[in-house]
Every structure is written in C-alpha cells, then in structure tokens.
Amino acid sequence: MATLSCLWTAVLLASTAESVRREAVWKPELGATVTCRDEEQKSEFAVRLESELGAGQWGSVFRAGNLAVKVEKDNSWKKSDTWAKLKDYKHECSIMRSLEGLPGMHLPKCLAYCDVDGYSVLIMELLSEARDLTKAQQLSSEAKAELVQDVYSSATAMLKAGISNVDQRAVNILAKSSGQAYFIDMGMASRDSEIREMCAGPDSGFIAV
C-alpha cells in the first residue's frame, strides 16, 4: 500500500508540475510581454504587445511602443514543411539585414530576432506614418509619381542582389506621404542560391537543371 500511495503522490505532483508549466508558457497575444535576446547582435528588447497592426496565415504584427513586433501564432509547420528554412523569422531578418543600405532600397530595420517558447519573434522599426499601397489614392500626384519610381527602384535593387520575394503584394508595400516606398514582410523572400538548393533536394518534388 505504501508503494502505491507513494506512486500516486508522484503522479499527482508530476501532473501539477505539467499543468503549471503549460500555464507558464508564453503565448503571442495582446498584452503579452516579450523579452527578446538577439545572440547575433548582442542586443535585448523587453516590449509589450499593445495593438495588432496586421495578421497573416502564420503570424501577426503588433505595435509595441515605437517598434513593430512580428510573432508566430502557429509554429506547427516547422515540423514537416520542406521549405521551413526559408520561412523562419531568423532567415527573414537575415534577408532584411542584407538589403539594408542598398541604393534605391527602403525597408524597416530588423533590430532583433529571437525564439520565445518555440515561437519566432522579429522586432523591427515601426513605420508609423506609412500606409500600404491600397490607400495610395490619398497621395498627391507628385507623391504618386515618386512612389512608382521608388517601388521600381526597390524591386530592381532586390533582384540585382539576387533576392526574390513572391509575396510582394500591395499590402506589403508601405508608402509615406512623400512618396517613399518601404518593402515589408520578407517572410517569403529568398536568395537565388537558396531556391536552387531547395529545388535540388530529394524531397522538393523538383528536378534540378
């Protein structure tokens, strides 16, 4: 009996510990606090998710003071997706940093990348005064002309750098009142060399040429 009692106590303790652990796991939702440590940049940010700026299939972007925070809301795809390497936020941050400073290229700065309880987190510069291209009709004629040229310059700069983004839609390009265009959401961007490597893989379904 003593052995059974001891075993039952151990089960209860383990169950309680697991319940507490589940409750302690951070969740990406409004009001949550994010502590992001970027080991590569040796930087740390502690921010609170104040309001949602936008949402996609796998993640959401929140305002946190003067920062934009992109957080995964579903990380189940990481276990089985052949293209997981290219969808990871660390890869997205790498793409953004490689594009910084290119002539004719405008995009928010990637300030930090980290992983919080299995969820990828990206902390970026917030473009608070910019609106996406679906609202471009509100710009002046001069700003619209500047915008067209700026979008062309940025797209050309990306291609010359060997980077393609298959998700560069109107909602993923922000425009300032001056006509400056900022490319955002590099989650589907990739380097030409990475695409060739992935397509040549045994599980890709493609034939390398």
Side-chain angles (χ1 to χ4, degrees):
M1 280 297 286
T3 301
L4 286 175
S5 177
C6 181
L7 181 59
W8 179 244
T9 301
V11 169
L12 285 176
L13 287 174
S15 176
T16 302
E18 175 62 18
S19 176
V20 170
R21 188 196 69 79
R22 282 199 302 268
E23 291 178 2
V25 170
W26 177 82
K27 294 181 180 180
E29 56 192 8
L30 287 178
T33 299
V34 182
T35 300
C36 186
R37 299 179 181 87
D38 190 315
E39 299 299 334
E40 182 180 331
Q41 298 293 311
K42 305 301 180 185
S43 59
E44 179 173 324
F45 293 83
V47 298
R48 182 175 175 273
L49 306 182
E50 300 170 0
S51 59
E52 190 174 67
L53 298 174
Q57 183 178 3
W58 303 109
S60 296
V61 180
F62 298 90
R63 177 192 290 269
N66 62 345
L67 300 172
V69 182
K70 185 175 181 179
V71 185
E72 280 183 324
K73 59 184 178 183
D74 184 347
N75 58 5
S76 59
W77 58 268
K78 288 183 176 180
K79 300 176 182 179
S80 59
D81 199 319
T82 304
W83 301 84
K85 176 185 174 183
L86 301 188
K87 290 182 180 179
D88 189 81
Y89 285 8
K90 184 176 183 179
H91 177 266
E92 182 174 356
C93 187
S94 171
I95 290 285
M96 294 173 70
R97 287 171 175 167
S98 67
L99 290 172
E100 284 182 22
L102 287 182
M105 185 77 220
H106 303 295
L107 74 165
K109 290 183 178 180
C110 177
L111 302 173
Y113 158 82
C114 64
D115 188 90
V116 180
D117 286 335
Y119 292 93
S120 291
V121 175
L122 203 62
I123 296 184
M124 303 169 287
E125 172 189 12
L126 176 66
L127 302 172
S128 57
E129 298 178 359
R131 299 293 182 268
D132 68 60
L133 288 193
T134 62
K135 303 178 181 67
Q137 67 271 16
Q138 300 173 5
L139 300 177
S140 65
S141 298
E142 294 77 10
K144 288 179 181 178
E146 178 68 26
L147 179 62
V148 170
Q149 181 59 44
D150 220 34
V151 169
Y152 174 79
S153 298
S154 292
T156 301
M158 284 182 62
L159 291 174
K160 286 184 176 179
I163 294 175
S164 304
N165 187 1
V166 298
D167 194 31
Q168 206 61 76
R169 300 170 291 147
V171 293
N172 290 333
I173 300 176
L174 301 184
K176 290 194 170 183
S177 57
S178 61
Q180 259 192 342
Y182 284 77
F183 280 36
I184 62 171
D185 197 350
M186 295 291 165
M188 295 296 287
S190 55
R191 298 175 179 86
D192 294 345
S193 57
E194 294 170 335
I195 291 295
R196 288 195 295 269
E197 179 183 344
M198 295 298 291
C199 288
D203 300 321
S204 66
F206 295 95
I207 300 175
V209 294

